[in-house]
Amino acid sequence: MTELSPRPDLWSLDPTVLHLNHGSYGAVPRRTQELQALLRAETEANPMLWFRSVADRLAASRRELADYLHTDPSGFALIPNASAGVTVALATIQIPAGSRIVLTNHTYGAVRYAAERFARANQADVVVVDVPLEADDDTVVALIKAELDERTAALIVDQISSATAMVFPIRRLVEACDGIPVIVDGAHAPGLIDEPAADGADFWTGNFHKWPSSLRPTAGLVVADKWRSGTLPLIVSWSEYDERLPERFDMQGTYDYTPWMAAPESLKVLAELDWPVRRPQLSALIDEGARLLAKALGTELPDVAHPAATMRLVEVPFTGERSPDAGEAFKVRVSRELKAEITLTGFDERVFVRLSAHAYNSLRDYELLAERLPTVL
Ligand SMILES: Cc1ncc(COP(=O)(O)O)c(C=O)c1O
């Protein structure tokens, strides 16, 4: 198989900086940025005319995004981000007093907060299942299943976790739930997992502004048939009584809809980048990059049974204070002094750099990080 070349030329990223954290906010190719600029110019040329055209344009974009996920367009709604998707799902399910919302110690912090808010409001509890970093699929399913019972209002589970970049066995967990509502946080899944919304969950949400490199904010919510009529957007708008789920979510008052309209352009860029061939090559690249960095830091690579295609954890021998503020200060220092954008994650008292690889990255990026990072530890 031919080795595809890195294509930083398609992005407008500052070439003097090492961009090694696509996973947090993504990065938008020039072409999509240009399309958005055209759409915004069109808006300002005649706002009245523009807003008359929004519904049709959104419908067209929505169909393309649903197609990309291989999901039924009538159960697919556009939303700003995965946080919104999880919140909508929690607002839709029944959470009786005394019930339990089950999640794991890998759950994204803001998603856990959402579960806590809904649990508080309904006199329910949040139950956190501890899943070790090294757990294989059988262990993950067994540990979570052991916490499911007649009191369980919902299971919230990551498809790819943020702090640990680990892939969870969604289909098997849906089976284990046997009718208990399953909310899948697929924030990182589009672009990294084929057909991410096809595992039979009650609600699935995922971001297009991460791996598919669409404009921020663009995300999707896939709702199983039985929930569609009762699933409402968080913002009450003129579409409140629209019986069709996707249309109900389309127009949320006056808003900048250009990211949603331009999102399919990034999918075209990915297709032209030969994404199905490129993604496994990026997996090999990130493996090599992680090995280089671990060697430079003198740490062992964690044994994650099922790592995400394009993200890896490298343990950092961090001797400083362990707090969110200290972590943030360290990232700012790396950004300023080393000209590198990285993210740190903490799990089980361990500190990791979570490295990303996208089409604009090359091995040289990781070599340079491996040279530079030890100098600030
Ligand atoms: C697993 C996971 N869930 C949810 C989110 C939240 O995504 P957003 O900020 O787009 O709502 C993230 C963001 O990184 C994430 O990694």
Side-chain angles (χ1 to χ4, degrees), residues 100-165:
R100 297 151 44 118
I101 301 171
V102 176
L103 39 78
T104 77
N105 55 336
H106 298 249
T107 300
Y108 189 70
V111 168
R112 181 170 168 168
Y113 290 165
E116 288 171 359
R117 183 195 285 188
F118 281 87
R120 245 189 341 266
N122 294 285
Q123 290 90 49
D125 291 307
V126 171
V127 174
V128 181
V129 182
D130 281 331
V131 175
L133 189 55
E134 292 79 13
D136 61 11
D137 286 357
D138 289 342
T139 311
V140 172
V141 174
L143 287 170
I144 293 177
K145 199 171 172 178
E147 289 300 333
L148 304 175
D149 60 21
E150 68 288 345
R151 289 169 299 170
T152 311
L155 169 69
I156 303 180
V157 65
D158 301 276
Q159 197 159 24
I160 296 175
S161 54
S162 172
T164 49

Side-chain angles (χ1 to χ4, degrees), residues 23-25 80-84 86 106-108 110-111 158 160-163 185-188 207 209-210 219 354:
S24 284
Y25 300 114
N81 49 49
S83 303
V86 170
H106 298 249
T107 300
Y108 189 70
V111 168
D158 301 276
I160 296 175
S161 54
S162 172
D185 175 359
H188 284 278
N207 284 334
H209 54 237
K210 288 190 187 284
R354 188 195 68 195

Side-chain angles (χ1 to χ4, degrees), residues 18-40:
L18 304 176
H19 300 277
L20 295 168
N21 183 25
H22 190 92
S24 284
Y25 300 114
V28 180
R30 292 175 195 277
R31 252 171 64 185
T32 315
Q33 296 176 43
E34 285 159 11
L35 177 58
Q36 183 184 39
L38 286 175
L39 293 170
R40 284 187 165 154

